[in-house]
Amino acid sequence: MGVEAGAQAARARALAVLRIRSRALAVALLPAAVAVILLAGTVGDRLEGPVWDAARWVLTPFAVLVLLAAAGIALVVARARPAMSPTVPVTEEAAPDLYRMVRDLADRLDVPAPSAIALTPDCDSWLEDRTHPAHAPPPAEEHRDIAGPGKQAHRRHPVAPVLVIGSPFLWWMRVGELRAVLAPVIAGTGPSAHPDIAAARRFVRGLDAAVAVASEPRRDPVSRAVLAGVGWVARILLRSCRVHAAELERGVAAAAAERAQAVDYGLRIVAQEQVGLAYAGWDRLLTRVALPAWRMGRWPSRLDAGVVAALTELSRRDRLAEGFASRLGERPACDLLEEPGTVDEAASLLAARLFHGGPAGPGPDWSPVDWSAYPDEVVDRKWRLDAARLHRVLDAMGVRPATGPTAPATVAPTLSRVLDHLTDTGPAWTAGNIGATRPAAGSTGPGPDTAPPEAAGPPPGRPDPLDDEDLAGTTAPSATLAARLSAELAREEAAPSPAAPSPASPPPDPAALWDDRALPLFPLQPPRTARELLADHLTAMVCCAAMDTAGATPGLDWLDGPTLLIDGERTADLAPKVLTLIEDGDATPLRVWLSQLGIRPEKPVRLG
């Protein structure tokens, strides 16, 4: 197969990067070369005189300092550990069929096979160079190149990059689709094996790693000053290489795509549709289903299997996706793994760490949960805990129990207490009446369901949480309750947890693959606003009342997450009525909805 145009462009850009490296070396050696000339001039009495002597005395120490600085920078660049993606390694023993498929693809594409395979809990696939000594496994654990058995441990040819595959692809895609999607990725090992491209990439990665090392906080002023200089030089070189490095990667991608056209090209068009669908299902599963469990200290142990369930549900609801259900009769790509459940569990735990920042392993406050137990162990518990927090805040605000002929004789928590407190007909809350509450009609002080201003304010020592544009347009009781809920939740999250590392814990091992202090690396969503927290807690209280007084049950919707089931049917019209109460202080739509479903708001509910 001839040399692709993209590969030629990539090699040209790689030479440009290497020229920048050569120029930097030349600049570092220039003072030393001049100093050598001046010192050599004393041998033949040619460069004599006070001017030449002064030049020698000044330039020689300067040249030595420059050489020492250049050597130090080169040492930092060479020893700095480049960033490495957190992945789940997959050995050939754990997935012989997958390795065989990748090896066959590499043979058909006439490129080196990847050196290993790893999975990432995301919908993407790429090649990653892990040839840096900090990334290499110990000699006793070194894996063979998947190009075939019989390879020696110490090879003279360059080590191929690692193939990283998105784990959702293995569960949702069929074997043929996965093969078509991976073809252009594996084809990238060809250009990567070129010495100039590999050298240019190593240089750029080293500079990037050196900048990261220089950016780490240090208390020692000497090392801080030295590394600041190293970072300054590395950033200058990175800026000089930026355009060439970007064009190099574009050339490599173009060359890989051109070479892969000969392999499963027609199927690849269909497979790309599955890539987009898998991404949509994965994103929705994480944000709607996994995130509520993570926030409670539980992590679903079969996220990838959940993608299949979510996308199957989507195909059932969406007529445009009817054709996708027929694919499920074909062989799934996860069959290429010997133990799909074990791999799914490892990928699910890594996803929880990357997207939420959970611990590295199970613990008392960080335990796995199966999908069958999700409604009872996550949904029901989440609603009970939120309802309990809501009533704790109401107690702290001095809100009295519900009144009226149907109110219970005890002080047990009821939904009526919350509805009565939030029912309000006054003007919407604005930033100008922070902490204020509207007295009840006909009274000269706070009404029975409102807290005095000093009780409704934020906790001491905290910035005023009511100064939030998100609360604009809500009633005064809603704004005050939302702010107090936000502060209460912040206090709970700030409390130390046995499953989480303490702030005083020692720094991670320098040989670790990635820095746990930066978790979560990819947070799914920004922190919930006060309005969202109030809506979540009010919804939880309604669901608890429905379960305790109307026989409703918690459920799991694969696309929307926790859901309330009444007579086995999903309720989908609760959110607008909750928002009406929060924004307008009008509880009538919600009370009508409760009455229609037989939910008794005056009855006590069981809290978490």
Side-chain angles (χ1 to χ4, degrees):
M1 187 175 294
V3 179
E4 296 84 2
Q8 294 178 345
R11 291 170 189 173
R13 294 292 182 169
L15 291 175
V17 172
L18 297 178
R19 281 195 294 270
I20 293 175
R21 184 184 66 176
S22 300
R23 290 168 188 162
L25 180 61
V27 170
L29 295 177
L30 182 60
V34 176
V36 169
I37 294 174
L38 292 176
L39 293 173
T42 61
V43 177
D45 297 333
R46 296 181 179 179
L47 301 177
E48 294 293 339
V51 176
W52 294 111
D53 290 340
R56 274 188 289 270
W57 279 103
V58 172
L59 194 57
T60 300
F62 176 73
V64 172
L65 290 177
V66 171
L67 284 178
L68 291 177
I73 294 173
L75 184 63
V76 173
V77 172
R79 293 178 62 87
R81 177 169 56 89
M84 180 174 171
S85 302
T87 55
V88 176
V90 179
T91 63
E92 187 166 2
E93 293 76 13
D97 291 343
L98 180 60
Y99 272 71
R100 193 176 301 113
M101 184 190 75
V102 171
R103 188 180 302 126
D104 177 67
L105 268 176
D107 290 341
R108 291 188 59 184
L109 294 168
D110 193 23
V111 296
S115 59
I117 297 177
L119 299 183
T120 178
D122 202 356
C123 294
D124 198 3
S125 297
W126 66 87
L127 294 172
E128 185 166 287
D129 188 349
R130 297 182 178 179
T131 57
H132 193 274
H135 295 161
E141 300 179 3
E142 185 172 357
H143 299 293
R144 295 194 306 265
D145 192 302
I146 69 171
K151 300 291 184 181
Q152 298 297 325
H154 301 282
R155 298 180 293 269
R156 295 183 178 179
H157 60 80
V159 179
V162 173
L163 173 63
V164 181
I165 306 174
S167 62
F169 293 164
L170 286 174
W171 269 259
W172 174 245
M173 289 187 174
R174 309 300 99 178
V175 173
E177 295 169 348
L178 179 65
R179 178 186 178 93
V181 168
L182 293 181
V185 180
I186 297 174
T189 60
S192 300
H194 191 275
D196 293 336
I197 294 178
R201 282 176 162 175
R202 283 196 301 270
F203 179 60
V204 173
R205 285 197 303 270
L207 292 176
D208 184 71
V211 171
V213 170
S215 301
E216 293 179 357
R218 286 177 172 80
R219 296 182 179 179
D220 182 12
V222 176
S223 61
R224 188 165 60 243
V226 171
L227 288 176
V230 173
W232 178 73
V233 174
R235 289 185 183 92
I236 291 177
L237 293 176
L238 269 180
R239 284 195 295 268
S240 303
C241 299
R242 180 180 302 164
V243 175
H244 297 299
E247 293 299 326
L248 184 154
E249 299 303 333
R250 290 192 184 95
V252 169
E258 183 178 351
R259 177 166 294 227
Q261 287 182 357
V263 178
D264 299 334
Y265 181 75
L267 183 59
R268 192 176 312 130
I269 299 176
V270 179
Q272 287 300 326
E273 299 178 358
Q274 306 306 319
V275 171
L277 191 65
Y279 181 85
W282 178 250
D283 179 74
R284 191 141 182 172
L285 183 76
L286 293 183
T287 55
R288 303 291 183 88
V289 180
L291 188 58
W294 293 340
R295 286 171 172 162
M296 294 180 53
R298 307 297 299 273
W299 52 278
S301 58
R302 294 293 185 270
L303 281 179
D304 292 303
V307 172
V308 179
L311 294 178
T312 304
E313 177 66 16
L314 178 64
S315 68
R316 184 185 68 83
R317 296 184 189 179
D318 191 350
R319 294 181 179 179
L320 297 177
E322 289 179 355
F324 296 130
S326 62
R327 302 170 46 261
L328 301 181
E330 305 174 13
R331 186 190 183 194
C334 61
D335 280 358
L336 300 174
L337 304 173
E338 289 293 299
E339 298 181 1
T342 302
V343 176
D344 193 0
E345 183 172 356
S348 300
L349 179 57
L350 181 57
R353 302 194 69 199
L354 295 180
F355 299 113
H356 185 66
D365 295 332
W366 188 243
S367 56
V369 60
D370 292 331
W371 291 126
S372 59
Y374 186 95
D376 291 331
E377 297 185 16
V378 174
V379 180
D380 181 86
R381 185 179 169 218
K382 173 185 180 300
W383 288 341
R384 304 284 182 187
L385 292 176
D386 286 354
R389 184 182 300 109
L390 177 62
H391 280 278
R392 283 200 307 271
V393 171
L394 292 175
D395 292 340
M397 294 172 59
V399 177
R400 302 172 187 174
T403 59
T406 60
T410 64
V411 294
T414 64
L415 176 59
S416 294
R417 180 194 191 192
V418 183
L419 298 181
D420 292 347
H421 174 67
L422 293 180
T423 300
D424 186 90
T425 58
W429 180 87
T430 62
N433 58 358
I434 294 177
T437 53
R438 182 181 58 82
S443 68
T444 58
D449 297 330
T450 59
E454 59 272 14
R462 291 183 57 88
D464 198 329
L466 290 179
D467 189 10
D468 188 347
E469 293 297 330
D470 172 68
L471 295 176
T474 63
T475 62
S478 295
T480 304
L481 181 57
R484 293 297 295 263
L485 279 172
S486 180
E488 176 68 16
L489 189 62
R491 277 193 292 264
E492 294 177 9
E493 293 176 348
S497 171
S502 63
S505 60
D509 185 358
L513 296 183
W514 41 290
D515 191 350
D516 285 358
R517 293 173 296 181
L519 293 175
L521 296 181
F522 312 104
L524 289 179
Q525 294 177 337
R528 287 174 291 179
T529 64
R531 182 197 295 258
E532 292 171 339
L533 285 174
L534 178 57
D536 289 345
H537 284 73
L538 182 54
T539 300
M541 188 63 201
V542 172
C543 293
C544 289
M547 291 187 294
D548 292 349
T549 67
T553 57
L556 167 62
D557 187 279
W558 290 109
L559 298 176
D560 295 326
T563 186
L564 181 68
L565 301 178
I566 298 182
D567 295 332
E569 296 294 331
R570 174 173 176 263
T571 58
D573 53 352
L574 175 59
K577 299 169 178 59
V578 170
L579 291 179
T580 299
L581 176 59
I582 293 174
E583 296 173 354
D584 303 331
D586 183 7
T588 302
L590 181 56
R591 290 185 183 276
V592 171
W593 184 85
L594 296 172
S595 176
Q596 291 174 345
L597 296 178
I599 301 173
R600 304 283 300 277
E602 74 280 1
K603 293 293 185 181
V605 298
R606 177 174 59 87
L607 302 181

